[in-house]
Amino acid sequence: MSEQYLSFEEKALFEKGDFNYIPLLIVLSAPSGAGKTTLCDRLLRHNDSIVYSVSCTTRKPRGEEQDGVDYNFMTEEQFKGYIKEKQFLEFAVVHGNYYGTLASTIRQALNAGKHVLLDIDVQGAGQIREKLPLLLEDDPIRQGYLDIFVAPPSLEELRSRLVGRAEDTQEVIDERMANAEDEMLHADEYEYQIINDDLDVAFQRLNNIIEKESEVDE
Ligand code: ADP
Ligand code: 5GP
């Protein structure tokens, strides 16, 4: 296709800006309740070169959640259409619902020089890791991939945070706790692990990792 027929968005998929840093795809996973949302919100407020990757999901919106902001909420039929078209960089079924990340959205943001924050579960992170060697060497996803596992200081503290958040029923909390034990077994597959004990310390460490990893080697 001739370049003049590409829309602005399509061009951004192929054209990379020239930056003096590496735009990172920051994959953050954690058992539910470990404090990932708290850390991500702080990171986004603190650093305007980081954007949040809005995932697609078939789960229903919770509380104040907005379509296109927290998630792209969609039907199972729509989600399966994207799977068929191979549009997802990764997708998974978590707690009975589909969740997925569109590859085009990520590439577009990285090519525009943004760090992209991806809040996904351990299955999703594993899928991206497996795909990396299959991507072109200059694919911004391959060049900027960084993964971090956020762990709670203990399972007791995790339960107490889930109870304190007061968002889930006892049954859901028990399910999240059972999943947490499995998820923790994957922590060492991640390049970095952060224990979210003191929030300020965890946040500082997260910032330091991002700063270090985005530096271009001379
Ligand atoms: P996640 O997104 O991983 O499910 P949240 O960010 O919603 O977790 O955090 C779960 C609960 O724990 C929230 O009520 C949050 O305010 C609290 N929390 C987060 N980090 C800490 C911390 N370092 N110490 C104590 N409480 C925390
Ligand atoms: P929640 O329903 O509480 O927002 O999210 C439940 C779980 O789904 C979390 O562990 C979250 O990390 C995961 N999740 C959210 N978006 C995605 C995604 O795009 N892909 C994958 N694999 N997991 C996701």
Side-chain angles (χ1 to χ4, degrees), residues 30-39 119 157 161-162 164-165 167 196-200 202:
S32 186
K36 192 174 43 171
T37 309
T38 309
L39 282 167
D119 160 359
E157 171 65 16
R161 286 184 192 171
L162 286 170
R165 190 168 66 178
E167 241 182 31
N196 180 21
D197 190 353
D198 180 294
L199 185 60
D200 290 335

Side-chain angles (χ1 to χ4, degrees), residues 33-102:
K36 192 174 43 171
T37 309
T38 309
L39 282 167
C40 287
D41 287 351
R42 213 158 149 175
L43 200 57
L44 291 167
R45 273 200 314 265
H46 174 89
N47 188 335
D48 56 16
S49 65
I50 302 181
V51 293
Y52 179 67
S53 160
V54 180
S55 295
C56 301
T57 185
T58 60
R59 95 152 154 72
K60 298 276 173 286
R62 245 184 350 230
E64 306 273 287
E65 285 180 336
Q66 289 176 17
D67 187 34
V69 177
D70 299 284
Y71 282 106
N72 294 311
F73 294 102
M74 59 181 64
T75 63
E76 206 166 303
E77 197 186 342
Q78 282 172 303
F79 198 101
K80 286 183 174 164
Y82 281 135
I83 297 178
K84 217 167 156 191
E85 291 166 13
K86 300 196 187 315
Q87 301 258 20
F88 287 118
L89 179 60
E90 62 75 39
F91 69 92
V93 178
V94 187
H95 309 138
N97 293 298
Y98 283 93
Y99 293 83
T101 310
L102 293 172

Side-chain angles (χ1 to χ4, degrees), residues 169-189:
T169 60
Q170 187 58 49
E171 196 188 342
V172 171
I173 291 179
D174 288 342
E175 191 191 331
R176 292 195 188 280
M177 286 303 296
N179 283 338
E181 294 193 38
D182 290 340
E183 285 159 346
M184 297 284 284
L185 298 175
H186 293 271
D188 62 4
E189 293 164 11

